[in-house]
Amino acid sequence: MDNCNPILTPIEERLKLTREGSGELVNSTDFKGLVGCLIYLTATRFDIMYAVRLVSRFMEEPIQSYLQAAKRILRYVRGTISMRILYNVSEDPKLVGFTDSDWAEAEYIAASNCATQAVWLRMMLKSLFEEQKTPTTIVCDNKSTIH
């Protein structure tokens, strides 16, 4: 994929991948390896997380359309390889999490997922010798979740 045409989005708009999809089966081992590499890449490329999570659902019996979706993510990465997030060095690193969800118990789940990510990011900061000493603030938009 070194010479592929880069694209601006990691996944096709309104893409619907289902287990009942029909098409030619592809090599399961190769597909699992590709998805595994993409999962590893999500540690530093949060922008591909949704797309990678979507294709990772279909690792058992991958078909051509699943492989095409995974290759599209690679084309996106190729096109955005020079983009990055730069973090300034600070005396006291402080993470703040934000959640926004708007359906039934989804607020609680979103806040829980945010807390999980905060724990992971705190461990990452610690491994970079920038440990956060204070608690991580998580801001959510729902009264019942806050209570």
Side-chain angles (χ1 to χ4, degrees):
M1 300 290 295
D2 282 339
N3 298 320
C4 66
N5 293 328
I7 55 174
L8 297 175
T9 58
I11 198 155
E12 206 175 303
E13 187 177 340
R14 296 188 181 120
L15 177 68
K16 303 255 192 241
L17 296 177
T18 62
R19 292 203 187 283
E20 294 79 32
S22 61
E24 186 178 328
L25 288 173
V26 297
N27 186 321
S28 177
T29 304
D30 291 343
F31 185 76
K32 287 178 183 179
L34 172 58
V35 173
C37 290
L38 289 171
I39 289 170
Y40 180 76
L41 189 58
T42 61
T44 56
R45 294 289 306 256
F46 304 116
D47 53 336
I48 64 170
M49 199 169 291
Y50 173 77
V52 172
R53 185 184 63 84
L54 184 63
V55 297
S56 70
R57 294 178 184 174
F58 307 102
M59 289 200 288
E60 291 307 313
E61 292 184 18
I63 58 176
Q64 192 64 35
S65 61
Y66 308 155
L67 179 61
Q68 289 304 106
K71 284 184 176 182
R72 182 180 176 97
I73 299 169
L74 290 176
R75 290 175 57 202
Y76 170 76
V77 169
R78 181 74 176 138
T80 58
I81 203 131
S82 63
M83 296 180 181
R84 61 191 74 156
I85 298 174
L86 298 175
Y87 298 99
N88 294 331
V89 177
S90 137
E91 290 294 321
D92 184 28
K94 184 159 178 122
L95 296 172
V96 178
F98 296 89
T99 67
D100 183 18
S101 190
D102 61 357
W103 187 76
E105 293 182 2
E107 291 89 359
Y108 174 74
I109 294 167
S112 175
N113 286 340
C114 185
T116 302
Q117 291 294 318
V119 169
W120 181 82
L121 286 168
R122 287 174 67 99
M123 291 186 332
M124 184 178 246
L125 277 175
K126 187 175 181 178
S127 71
L128 296 170
F129 306 106
E130 292 290 333
E131 185 174 8
Q132 179 176 327
K133 305 280 190 225
T134 59
T136 301
T137 302
I138 297 177
V139 181
C140 55
D141 68 337
N142 185 281
K143 295 278 185 197
S144 64
T145 304
I146 294 167
H147 295 294

